[in-house]
Amino acid sequence: MAELSPFLFPGLTAKVNDLAVLHLKRDLQTPVILRASDELDEGYSEGKVTNTRFGSFPHSTLIGLPWGSQVRASAVDTGSRGRRPKEQQSANTHGQKRKRGEATGYADPDAITGDAREQTALKAAVTASTGFAHLLPPTPENWTTSLPHRTQVVYTPDYSYILQRLRVRPGTVVIEAGAGSGSFTHAAARAVFSGYPEQGKSSEAESTSTRKGKVWSFEFHEQRVEKLRAEIQKHGLDSIVEITHRDVCADGFSITQNGAQAVQADAIFLDLPAPWLALMHLTRYSASIPKAHSDSSTCEQPEPDSPKNPLLSLENPTPRALSPPEHTTSPQDSPRFTPSRTQSASQSHTSPLSPYLPVRICTFSPCIEQVQATHRALRSLSYTLIETVSLSAQRLEVRRERVGLAEEGLRGVNPSPATVDEAVGRLRDIETRTKAFHSSEDAKTNGQKGQADGKDKEETGSEVSSSVTPKQQRILELQERQAGRKLYREGRLVHRPEPELKTHTSYLTFAVLPREWTAEDEARAREKWKDGGAEAGKGRGLSRRKEKRAMKVAEGGGKGSGERKTQMTDREA
């Protein structure tokens, strides 16, 4: 049986060697692998520690907690990382940096066995005064905000809408071209999961209703493929996601296993710079591409200095954005993909599409010129219901807002006067401080000296200090008073839209390719519905109502129809 993925079966609590996500704030999350010991020997007495801007979190405080728990930060000595006791240093180095291959005065961390690590007593973590995080299980949503960005990623508002429009559900077979950082890959893997595939059982032996979901992901960049493949394997999704290094614009999507076509997709997502070049491989029949397109039928962009670079021209030596091939305004003169149905699919073309289900496709393009070229290619390849949309997701921030000068300096407080009395009191304080300042400056300017003047200054200073409380003292008093207060219940409940949109400016083009309809299918349909579907419709509620109505009309000798005509005449009158 395949290893359970933490993205599908995280369990109830966090365990050793589990992938977890530390939720620091809404758009700041850190993925960590929980370790019982510090295998890198970083020098922390508490064992393995994850440092964040909101504090340090030893893994010993995270292991065993239920998912969703709030964890307080711990007070660890972050400056001791990597330090060693002086007596363990080599005598000939005298604390200096050793050379490569030179012996050290302490044991190599890699040479320490597991039993020796377990015998080392870990220091109990001490809770810090500030800082906390939430311990979450890995999901496609929080993985999108915390994954290492190798390319631009498809964010949650985009891929959730895409999966819904493509009708991806458990058992769906999805083609993804342009895997990139793997954001959409993880979301699609969770959406199609309907069980792990059985060993030794081919996909052809499974029916449409019992087949297991699969994601066929393609990427032309070899280094990104290796990194994404390693991530998918660590996350336990390698039996659901198949990653292939290929330029789909030139080589297509067909994958042969055991002498048969393994890919039979009914949902497609293309995140390519030139999706119209890959569409000729997404048909049920062979498609010929115009000669003008043959030199640039690749998803890889050529080097800027290449003489064959279509992004550079002699008239305009500056690079320009990737755009579709030039075309005329007349639809008859524009280049088209021509589907060829004269030869059988088994002889000329092996289609990666499901022959039994309609295929839904989505392309992700940032430029409207790319959308126009994609529309022309989709129409030429018999796709229907072509539509382009643009998403702008904006979240609302809901919080408690406390306003007033009485709590100035505390966290989450709007330091503005809440009432007229507070505003007048603050103005009086400012006026008193201003008078005291000017009086002291005048005394220095006039050079007044003597005991009488000194007494006047002391009296003035004592009056100011007694009438005005210093800001630091006010903050300390407020912090002492708020110890027993429930601040999350105080204040006014407000909501505001976020200032920035966490998404891309892009266009999503959707289309549907109807299922393959042969002469045999037409004959079976005509045979089934030759009597208007009466035989096929028996047992359904609508047919039974029609039969009862017909029986009533027959028993009444047409009386029912006459009554209906009379009622209609009365309404018209």
Side-chain angles (χ1 to χ4, degrees), residues 479-495:
Q479 290 178 350
E480 293 177 358
R481 289 199 300 266
Q482 76 168 356
R485 295 166 55 186
K486 297 181 179 180
L487 300 180
Y488 61 89
R489 292 185 179 180
E490 298 181 7
R492 183 179 56 179
L493 190 65
V494 297
H495 66 277

Side-chain angles (χ1 to χ4, degrees), residues 5 11 38 65 71 83 93 143 151 188 216 252 343 353 380 395 415 432 440 467 471 531 536 553 569:
S5 171
D38 187 4
L65 292 180
V71 186
R83 294 178 184 172
T93 59
W143 179 251
T151 59
W216 298 91
Q343 299 177 354
L353 307 181
S380 300
R395 291 178 294 189
T432 303
S440 62
S467 60
K471 183 177 180 180
D531 296 332
V553 172
T569 305

Side-chain angles (χ1 to χ4, degrees), residues 23-38:
H23 186 281
L24 304 176
K25 63 178 185 177
R26 187 176 61 184
D27 292 328
L28 182 58
Q29 304 182 29
T30 303
V32 294
I33 297 179
L34 303 179
R35 301 297 187 188
S37 59
D38 187 4

Side-chain angles (χ1 to χ4, degrees), residues 528-529 533-540 543:
K528 181 177 180 179
W529 300 93
E535 295 296 329
K538 282 187 176 181
R540 299 179 181 177
S543 298

Side-chain angles (χ1 to χ4, degrees), residues 82-98 102-107:
R83 294 178 184 172
R84 299 295 184 274
K86 293 183 178 180
E87 60 270 13
Q88 292 183 1
Q89 296 180 358
S90 178
N92 57 353
T93 59
H94 302 287
Q96 299 178 358
K97 184 178 180 181
R98 66 181 180 88
E102 189 176 355
T104 60
Y106 50 88

Side-chain angles (χ1 to χ4, degrees), residues 39-84:
E39 69 280 358
L40 299 179
D41 195 13
E42 295 177 333
Y44 290 110
S45 302
E46 294 84 1
K48 186 68 176 178
V49 177
T50 297
N51 295 312
T52 68
R53 58 183 293 187
F54 294 99
S56 301
F57 299 91
H59 290 198
S60 58
T61 62
L62 305 177
I63 297 174
L65 292 180
W67 295 116
S69 301
Q70 186 186 73
V71 186
R72 294 288 299 273
S74 299
V76 299
D77 185 7
T78 57
S80 65
R81 182 172 53 184
R83 294 178 184 172
R84 299 295 184 274

Side-chain angles (χ1 to χ4, degrees), residues 154-314:
V154 182
Y155 287 101
T156 302
D158 292 320
Y159 69 63
S160 59
Y161 181 74
I162 292 170
L163 293 173
Q164 186 270 335
R165 286 292 301 267
L166 296 181
R167 299 188 183 182
V168 177
R169 55 191 181 275
T172 302
V173 178
V174 179
I175 286 179
E176 178 196 13
S181 301
S183 172
F184 183 85
T185 309
H186 286 77
R190 182 186 61 179
V192 305
F193 178 72
S194 59
Y196 291 101
E198 300 179 8
Q199 298 293 336
K201 189 173 182 180
S202 62
S203 58
E204 290 187 350
E206 298 178 354
S207 62
T208 305
S209 58
T210 61
R211 67 176 179 174
K212 306 301 182 183
K214 187 79 173 180
V215 178
W216 298 91
S217 183
F218 297 87
E219 173 63 43
F220 77 92
H221 196 276
E222 187 174 2
Q223 294 181 354
R224 288 199 290 263
V225 169
E226 294 176 356
K227 293 180 181 179
L228 181 57
R229 189 175 291 158
E231 286 181 358
I232 292 296
Q233 186 175 4
K234 289 180 181 179
H235 298 166
L237 299 173
D238 50 335
S239 60
I240 306 171
V241 180
E242 183 75 21
I243 302 175
T244 305
H245 175 226
R246 180 183 299 180
D247 183 4
V248 295
C249 295
D251 302 328
F253 302 86
S254 298
I255 296 179
T256 304
Q257 295 180 356
N258 299 327
Q261 173 61 262
V263 184
Q264 292 187 354
D266 52 335
I268 305 167
F269 175 64
L270 302 180
D271 188 3
L272 303 173
W276 59 90
L277 298 178
L279 288 175
M280 70 173 184
H281 304 288
L282 297 174
T283 61
R284 295 193 176 93
Y285 304 94
S286 61
S288 61
I289 190 170
K291 190 173 182 180
H293 296 254
S294 59
D295 295 337
S296 60
S297 59
T298 176
C299 290
E300 300 188 24
Q301 298 186 16
E303 297 297 331
D305 299 333
S306 175
K308 295 184 179 181
N309 185 5
L311 305 184
L312 297 176
S313 61
L314 296 178

